[in-house]
Amino acid sequence: PNTIAEVDGGRSAGPFLGPPFANCRPCPSFSVPKRPHDPTNHEVRLINNYSSGGVRSVNDLWWSPRLLTFHMSASHMRDRIAAAGPAAKMWAGDIPKCFRRQRLPERLWPLFVYILRTEEHGLEYFSDQSTPFGFTPSEWGWQCILALLLWRMSTVGITDVLAYVDNFWVLSSPAQDHEVRRSLIESVFKEAGIDLHDRYDEPHFPALGW
């Protein structure tokens, strides 16, 4: 169902009964729990192993820049809450499918073919049209987009956003107008054409299973 949802969303193509391109490089796939910290959630995320083949792999065809970025941890969230004080207010939002928003050029689609075998449908081929999990440049591509979003937020006066991949938090102290800050950050996402989900604006919120 997850794979067909990706096809319906225009992020993948398929299913095909055979290789969809004259020259393509199918890669092995495996699945991992989508929310490993939640034992009641049984959703899985498909990972395509584009590092399979070592120096002959799809991933080895790309150079990935090592961006200078801030890596958020639970301690940073803790310290920000403590600095804001007992009457702190918080807004949080999550971008759905942030990697999958990045389109792959059509000429590269033959490099992003994977095969699924199920009892119901047998052998089926699919081709990714958006950057997949397991592809090295997916992460730094998103980090470049994130840098632009954080820069735009800073231009409207929100300079203290906490971001972890596609999760965002804004904490306000009693001295700050939380409603204005929330409105400003929401306006940046709207301007960028990004629909958020998993919004939280209350004293209790989940944060990456911490």
Side-chain angles (χ1 to χ4, degrees), residues 69-70 143-165 167-169 185 188-189:
T69 59
F70 166 69
Q143 287 297 324
C144 292
I145 297 171
L146 174 61
L148 289 172
L149 287 172
L150 293 176
W151 168 80
R152 181 65 180 126
M153 291 170 190
S154 72
T155 66
V156 298
I158 310 297
T159 59
D160 56 352
V161 179
L162 289 172
Y164 187 95
V165 190
N167 298 272
F168 296 82
W169 298 271
I185 193 168
V188 170
F189 287 112

Side-chain angles (χ1 to χ4, degrees), residues 33-45:
K34 187 173 182 180
R35 301 181 186 275
H37 304 291
D38 181 359
T40 66
N41 189 293
H42 302 294
E43 294 180 279
V44 297
R45 172 173 285 149

Side-chain angles (χ1 to χ4, degrees), residues 108-124:
L108 300 181
W109 291 355
L111 296 176
F112 296 88
V113 173
Y114 56 97
I115 305 171
L116 293 182
R117 185 191 298 272
T118 61
E119 291 184 5
E120 183 178 0
H121 300 289
L123 200 65
E124 296 179 310

Side-chain angles (χ1 to χ4, degrees), residues 51-63:
S51 293
S52 176
V55 295
R56 297 177 300 279
S57 70
V58 171
N59 271 342
D60 202 61
L61 297 174
W62 272 266
W63 170 76

Side-chain angles (χ1 to χ4, degrees), residues 20-95:
F21 306 101
N23 297 291
C24 60
R25 299 179 63 176
C27 76
S29 304
F30 59 94
S31 61
V32 297
K34 187 173 182 180
R35 301 181 186 275
H37 304 291
D38 181 359
T40 66
N41 189 293
H42 302 294
E43 294 180 279
V44 297
R45 172 173 285 149
L46 183 68
I47 306 293
N48 302 313
N49 186 7
Y50 292 108
S51 293
S52 176
V55 295
R56 297 177 300 279
S57 70
V58 171
N59 271 342
D60 202 61
L61 297 174
W62 272 266
W63 170 76
S64 296
R66 297 293 182 261
L67 301 177
L68 294 175
T69 59
F70 166 69
H71 186 74
M72 180 188 162
S73 70
S75 61
H76 297 115
M77 174 73 75
R78 175 203 63 199
D79 293 347
R80 185 65 62 82
I81 293 172
K89 292 184 178 181
M90 183 278 310
W91 172 94
D94 173 65
I95 298 178

